[in-house]
Amino acid sequence: MEDDAAARDEEFEAIEAIFGEAVNVSRGASLVEVRIPHPQGGGQEVMLRASLPSDYPSSSCPVALLYGSHLSDDVLVWAAKQLEALFTPGEVCLYNWVEWLKEQELLWAVPAAPSNNHHQQQQQEGGGEEGGGATRGSSARREAVREVEALELLRALRVTSGEPYMEKKSTFQAHVAPVSSFDDVRAVMDALLSISKIRAATHNIMAYRIHTPGAGGGGGGGGGGGGGAFLQDYDDDGETAAGGRLLHLLQAADVRNSVVVVSRWFGGVLLGPARFTAINNTARALLEQMGLVAAPGGGGGGKGGDIATQWQ
């Protein structure tokens, strides 16, 4: 607790020094408000209010609330959820949150509300530029609503996302979901790619493995016994050979009825063959966390797991 309090005090001093009059800190209430003007000097403004729990930053994430008169509630709720997803236990985050908000086009594409006189003048002139601005604003709102809906769909599809892992400025993140058909695989991929952050990844490497008991015929491989067949495939998404290696991981551990996706955001430093290790280790860490693959030295051995059973 003392370490958390010291870390919060240091963060308060840092953001006051960085943002000056744009920040208001209430140390007694552990509350921070930051006024964020339009990055390019437009009329829009977003207010971030963050309430810091007593075990922040070691464990708990700040509670984020956002305000912006030019934005819909859907957009503000979406952005607040994205901020909380960026939090890493043990690391302060307020500066990174403000910088992330500045970079989100969805928050700044909607024009500020016009004054009454300006609005009346545009009505008299047949709309003027308002139509174009309204169109852009509507488009941004629709995009934000779609992203919120995609997050709900990911929950409905029981997609689990792991902690991001960084290697020489590249970031890797794994996602795992239960599947029983190729249509399920496609639905999971469509939902993941509806999230702008994941869609913007340099590569989204995917592999899936589905067991059909007693179906007869060949296919599959990778052990496990019990008869039946395996429907399995992979997609490198431009990272040559990465998908095949990811599928081999599923085969070696006999993970069944699962799709695994590893998103990679390239950081500008070439990793060479080490990138394959980072991709597979990121996937394995999440599979271990979900109990689908035994952790090294954990004993038990044998085949891995069926995620559909795991989630029931």
Side-chain angles (χ1 to χ4, degrees):
M1 297 291 287
E2 292 181 359
D3 290 342
D4 281 331
R8 289 195 299 274
D9 285 339
E10 290 180 5
E11 186 175 29
F12 291 156
E13 293 178 4
I15 61 175
E16 284 176 327
I18 294 169
F19 299 116
E21 295 181 355
V23 65
N24 180 37
V25 174
S26 175
R27 285 172 168 76
S30 287
L31 183 68
V32 177
E33 293 181 339
V34 183
R35 189 178 72 256
I36 307 169
H38 193 292
Q40 280 77 48
Q44 301 95 321
E45 182 177 281
V46 171
M47 173 71 77
L48 166 65
R49 176 177 292 174
S51 177
L52 310 184
S54 60
D55 56 352
Y56 166 82
S58 66
S59 301
S60 294
C61 175
V63 177
L65 292 175
L66 291 168
Y67 304 88
S69 59
H70 63 293
L71 296 171
S72 68
D73 289 343
D74 286 329
V75 174
L76 294 170
V77 169
W78 164 80
K81 287 182 178 179
Q82 296 300 302
L83 290 179
E84 293 177 2
L86 294 173
F87 171 70
T88 300
E91 298 181 8
V92 295
C93 64
L94 296 181
Y95 174 78
N96 290 335
W97 278 11
V98 173
E99 293 304 303
W100 184 88
L101 289 168
K102 290 179 181 178
E103 296 172 357
Q104 303 312 301
E105 294 183 2
L106 280 176
L107 301 180
W108 311 109
V110 182
S115 65
N116 289 335
N117 291 338
H118 180 58
H119 181 63
Q120 292 171 358
Q121 180 181 1
Q122 288 184 326
Q123 286 183 325
Q124 294 170 358
E125 295 176 356
E129 297 179 356
E130 185 178 3
T135 299
R136 290 191 297 272
S138 298
S139 177
R141 284 191 291 271
R142 284 196 299 270
E143 176 67 22
V145 169
R146 281 196 295 269
E147 193 126 343
V148 171
E149 291 173 345
L151 290 170
E152 294 297 329
L153 180 58
L154 288 175
R155 279 190 281 270
L157 293 170
R158 298 180 292 176
V159 177
T160 299
S161 295
E163 292 295 324
Y165 164 74
M166 182 169 287
E167 175 77 17
K168 294 183 179 177
K169 298 187 178 181
S170 279
T171 300
F172 301 84
Q173 185 179 30
H175 320 275
V176 176
V179 291
S180 58
S181 68
F182 178 71
D183 286 342
D184 290 347
V185 174
R186 184 162 49 192
V188 170
M189 289 303 299
D190 287 346
L192 283 170
L193 295 176
S194 295
I195 303 299
S196 57
K197 178 182 177 181
I198 297 174
R199 187 170 62 247
T202 314
H203 310 287
N204 284 294
I205 303 105
M206 180 272 291
Y208 67 90
R209 191 166 186 259
I210 300 168
H211 184 237
T212 55
F230 286 90
L231 173 65
Q232 56 190 13
D233 204 351
Y234 62 87
D235 181 7
D236 292 329
D237 193 29
E239 187 71 282
T240 304
R245 292 169 184 248
L246 191 57
L247 177 57
H248 180 72
L249 169 65
L250 301 185
Q251 293 170 334
D254 196 25
V255 175
R256 303 181 175 197
N257 302 322
S258 309
V259 59
V260 180
V261 180
V262 177
S263 303
R264 179 193 180 185
W265 292 267
F266 179 60
V269 178
L270 296 175
L271 298 181
R275 68 191 186 278
F276 300 122
T277 301
I279 291 166
N280 273 26
N281 284 350
T282 303
R284 175 178 280 277
L286 181 55
L287 291 168
E288 289 175 359
Q289 176 186 322
M290 298 175 68
L292 298 172
V293 173
K303 68 179 183 180
D306 180 337
I307 193 173
T309 302
Q310 188 81 8
W311 277 81
Q312 289 175 351

